[in-house]
Amino acid sequence: MRALVLGRNSPGGARPARHLARLAAGWLLVAALAPAARAECTRAYVGEELVNDLSTMTAALRSLDEAAFKASGKRLEASVACIKTPVPPMVFAAAYRYIGAYHFFSGDQDGARRWFRSALELDPTFDWDVSEVPVGHPMRGVFDGERDAASVDPVPVEGKVLNVPAGSALYLDGREIDAPAATPDRPHLLQVVATSDRTVRQVFMIDGNAFPPQFLRDAEVAAAPEEPAKKSKKDKKSKKKKGKDDEAVAEAPVVTDPLAVQKVERVRPAIKTPLMVTGGLVMAGSGVIYAMSFASHKEFERASTTSELERYRTLTNTLVLASGGTLLAGIGIEYAGIMLGTGAGFTLGGRF
């Protein structure tokens, strides 16, 4: 079995093989530049198969198994547009990255660069592990050379807005979108996902922002105001009567001066008194608990065995601590009752 050639750009050596590789690369590039192609899937590509292919390619890249790597890469590229469940963007990033590596080792550097741009857009901080791609390998240079090109702003489709099918959402490379905009010069996977059960209804492989026309509509048409419905004679009479009522209301004096003095009566909150009473009772309870600690302390002094000393010592300490905690709780409740309705108020908040 041949091994991946990690020290050279091209996998072959004979001239006819290089010629065929160039022809294949040309066809792959033409296919990648097609405006939009709906995936022709004979069956669904499930998430488990995707994970298996990614794992196989990782192992093959580390063990320099060229045959296994290319077989999985070919299957991955042909099947990634047949995923029938939504996939997180990071999984798409890994898939695009390995498809790019598959193109690189097949002699198609242009195709590799395009897929690398898509992968770096989703995962811009990724760097190949040295166990997968050694330092100084040509593919590292090609991959890193696309970092700046990957970080560009999406280009919107001029004059268009999204035409989302009813009961669906549109996802581009695993991210939901609300406008027809995508980064140029790279492939994207457009998925139509049902909002009810999150299943994928349709999948399209597009180049740049070449969205399928059925998902676009004119922005002017979308923003045009609806024509008012014709009003019946009954509605006109109702409007006329309402107009008279509005005039009567308008005659009432309205205070419009923001600096005008207004009389505001103080309203005592219903919970204010119960809080103050409860706070006082809790503080009184703390005194009772503290008094109990004195009795426990006397038993501690009378103890004649080690076990009695430990028991009464623990009990005394517990009662003292409980008394202090109860006192603080009572003070808090009492303070809340006093401040409630005074204008100062108090706020409870948190951060999650």
Side-chain angles (χ1 to χ4, degrees):
M1 182 179 292
R2 291 176 58 197
L4 287 173
V5 182
L6 293 177
R8 292 178 291 173
N9 273 335
S10 61
R15 182 170 299 178
R18 288 199 300 268
H19 180 66
L20 291 174
R22 291 194 185 98
L23 287 176
W27 281 109
L28 287 170
L29 181 60
V30 170
L33 291 174
R38 182 175 176 179
E40 298 297 336
C41 303
T42 57
R43 66 180 185 85
Y45 186 51
V46 297
E48 184 178 356
E49 291 177 295
L50 173 62
V51 172
N52 288 337
D53 282 336
L54 292 176
S55 300
T56 300
M57 295 186 76
T58 301
L61 194 60
R62 292 178 176 176
S63 62
L64 310 182
D65 189 343
E66 179 182 10
F69 185 85
K70 287 187 175 181
S72 297
K74 183 178 180 180
R75 182 170 58 251
L76 177 61
E77 183 177 18
S79 305
V80 70
C82 299
I83 299 175
K84 292 303 180 182
T85 54
V87 175
M90 288 298 101
V91 177
F92 275 121
Y96 295 167
R97 193 161 52 240
Y98 278 116
I99 294 174
Y102 161 69
H103 278 267
F104 180 87
F105 289 117
S106 298
D108 177 21
Q109 287 203 16
D110 291 335
R113 292 179 186 277
R114 291 172 55 79
W115 285 103
F116 285 159
R117 284 195 288 270
S118 295
L120 284 166
E121 178 183 337
L122 298 175
D123 190 4
T125 61
F126 177 84
D127 194 10
W128 292 100
D129 189 271
V130 293
S131 63
E132 295 178 328
V133 182
V135 177
H137 185 268
M139 192 177 76
R140 276 185 177 270
V142 174
F143 184 81
D144 292 335
E146 299 304 315
R147 290 188 185 275
D148 292 338
S151 59
V152 297
D153 295 330
V155 177
V157 180
E158 188 175 355
K160 299 290 184 179
V161 295
L162 280 181
N163 183 33
V164 183
S168 303
L170 295 181
Y171 283 75
L172 194 69
D173 302 326
R175 300 175 294 186
E176 186 174 0
I177 58 173
D178 56 8
T183 48
D185 304 322
R186 70 200 69 185
H188 296 287
L189 197 69
L190 179 67
Q191 294 176 307
V192 183
V193 181
T195 55
S196 57
D197 56 2
R198 299 275 297 167
T199 57
V200 178
R201 294 176 173 175
Q202 292 177 296
V203 184
F204 298 84
M205 185 65 71
I206 66 174
D207 177 67
N209 65 350
F211 287 86
Q214 62 266 38
F215 301 116
L216 300 174
R217 58 176 174 170
D218 293 337
E220 296 179 357
V221 174
E226 298 181 359
E227 294 183 3
K230 294 182 179 180
K231 297 179 180 180
S232 62
K233 293 182 179 180
K234 184 177 179 180
D235 293 335
K236 291 180 180 179
K237 290 181 180 179
S238 176
K239 183 178 180 182
K240 187 175 181 181
K241 183 178 180 181
K242 186 178 178 181
K244 291 181 179 180
D245 294 339
D246 292 341
E247 291 176 1
V249 174
E251 293 176 357
V254 179
V255 179
T256 58
D257 185 3
L259 300 179
V261 178
Q262 299 182 20
K263 183 179 179 181
V264 179
E265 295 183 358
R266 180 176 177 270
V267 179
R268 183 182 180 89
I271 199 174
K272 182 179 179 70
T273 300
L275 282 176
M276 295 176 64
V277 173
T278 302
L281 291 176
V282 172
M283 287 189 288
S286 70
V288 174
I289 296 174
Y290 188 70
M292 293 171 60
S293 69
F294 282 99
S296 176
H297 183 68
K298 288 182 179 179
E299 294 296 331
F300 171 78
E301 293 177 342
R302 297 173 184 172
S304 57
T305 63
T306 303
S307 60
E308 289 180 347
L309 284 172
E310 287 295 327
R311 183 171 71 253
Y312 287 116
R313 181 182 66 83
T314 302
L315 179 60
T316 302
N317 292 338
T318 302
L319 290 172
V320 172
L321 292 175
S323 174
T326 306
L327 178 63
L328 291 175
I331 293 174
I333 297 173
E334 184 74 15
Y335 178 76
I338 294 173
M339 297 302 296
L340 192 64
T342 62
F346 58 95
T347 303
L348 297 178
R351 183 176 181 179
F352 299 90

